[in-house]
Amino acid sequence: EAGVVQSPRYKIIEKKQPVAFWCNPISGHNTLYWYRQNLGQGPELLIRYENEEAVDDSQLPKDRFSAERLKGVDSTLKIQPAELGDSAVYLCASSLPGMNTEAFFGQGTRLTVV
Amino acid sequence: GNSVTQMEGPVTLSEEAFLTINCTYTATGYPSLFWYVQYPGEGLQLLLKATKADDKGSNKGFEATYRKETTSFHLEKGSVQVSDSAVYFCALNSGGYQKVTFGTGTKLQVIP
């Protein structure tokens, strides 16, 4: 069975440009997460979806970041406009619903803003 | 708020050496504790977990015991292999539904 698929793997953009990341979770996983991982740090949660509903977006910088999960399956995370400080690895994860269930992570998208 | 503190890396060991990676935490309530591993070029994957005090999580020869009295969850392995070279993250979840707080990660390098 395929795992969590993310694309692209790498992205280099100039500051002030928009960028989007795509995630396809494991089939049947209703819960989807986006994390940001800065260099030398652990992942930090940006947003969590239960089906198509964003149930926790308290850490998402809403002035420039947006996310959607149409039809409760694939998800996109967008940054517009990007800033130099947005350079990081963006991780998508999915899990079955319920407390303390295992989250399965994709390989991430490494974003470099120049 | 919740936080996780891990020993800084990198940790370099010879094959078959004993491994300990320290992890302590601060959390409200009774968190679940996790160790995740990230192999080179791959995504994060759950290595082991413990959901209550005195539980021992184990997988692939790795073990960690949930110590509430010392708020610790140290990762151990009796004999490391080159294939264990990776970055290890300690994490906790005290809010349910995977509101997970990660440590900064410890890079392990095992040399033949």
Side-chain angles (χ1 to χ4, degrees):
Chain A
E1 180 182 352
V4 176
V5 179
Q6 291 187 246
S7 69
R9 287 293 310 279
Y10 305 93
K11 189 73 175 180
I12 301 175
I13 62 170
E14 295 183 343
K15 62 182 180 182
K16 301 185 181 179
Q17 295 302 305
V19 64
F21 314 122
W22 175 81
C23 174
N24 178 241
I26 292 173
S27 177
H29 282 195
N30 297 338
T31 307
L32 183 146
Y33 321 81
W34 283 102
Y35 286 83
R36 177 169 59 190
Q37 185 176 15
N38 293 313
L39 188 65
Q41 301 293 317
E44 296 177 326
L45 181 68
L46 292 174
I47 190 169
R48 175 171 64 87
Y49 282 92
E50 296 291 340
N51 298 305
E52 66 275 10
E53 182 182 359
V55 296
D56 184 354
D57 63 356
S58 57
Q59 301 302 312
L60 189 72
K62 298 182 183 62
D63 57 336
R64 297 183 299 107
F65 286 64
S66 64
E68 61 181 11
R69 192 185 183 195
L70 299 176
K71 301 181 181 179
V73 181
D74 294 0
S75 177
T76 56
L77 177 69
K78 298 178 181 178
I79 308 175
Q80 182 172 11
E83 297 179 351
L84 294 177
D86 296 331
S87 295
V89 176
Y90 291 83
L91 297 167
C92 179
S94 69
S95 69
L96 293 169
M99 293 180 64
N100 300 327
T101 56
E102 178 182 353
F104 293 81
F105 284 82
Q107 292 183 292
T109 297
R110 182 177 296 277
L111 173 67
T112 302
V113 182
V114 297
Chain B
N2 298 337
S3 67
V4 176
T5 303
Q6 293 182 232
M7 62 186 289
E8 289 191 16
V11 174
T12 302
L13 294 174
S14 297
E15 206 165 20
E16 299 184 3
F18 184 86
L19 168 71
T20 299
I21 300 178
N22 291 336
C23 170
T24 57
Y25 67 90
T26 302
T28 56
Y30 302 95
S32 294
L33 302 174
F34 308 88
W35 277 101
Y36 280 83
V37 59
Q38 189 169 32
Y39 298 103
E42 299 185 16
L44 279 166
Q45 54 186 277
L46 182 68
L47 180 60
L48 54 85
K49 69 178 182 182
T51 58
K52 61 182 187 295
D54 299 326
D55 269 3
K56 177 184 286 187
S58 61
N59 186 25
K60 299 181 181 180
F62 291 88
E63 293 183 341
T65 302
Y66 189 143
R67 301 290 188 195
K68 193 173 187 301
E69 63 276 12
T70 56
T71 62
S72 65
F73 192 56
H74 304 322
L75 183 68
E76 297 182 335
K77 186 175 185 181
S79 176
V80 294
Q81 305 300 313
V82 172
S83 57
D84 294 326
S85 298
V87 181
Y88 292 82
F89 292 90
C90 185
L92 69 83
N93 182 353
S94 71
Y97 293 97
Q98 289 286 342
K99 195 175 182 70
V100 179
T101 302
F102 286 86
T104 55
T106 302
K107 183 176 183 179
L108 170 66
Q109 183 177 10
V110 181
I111 54 178

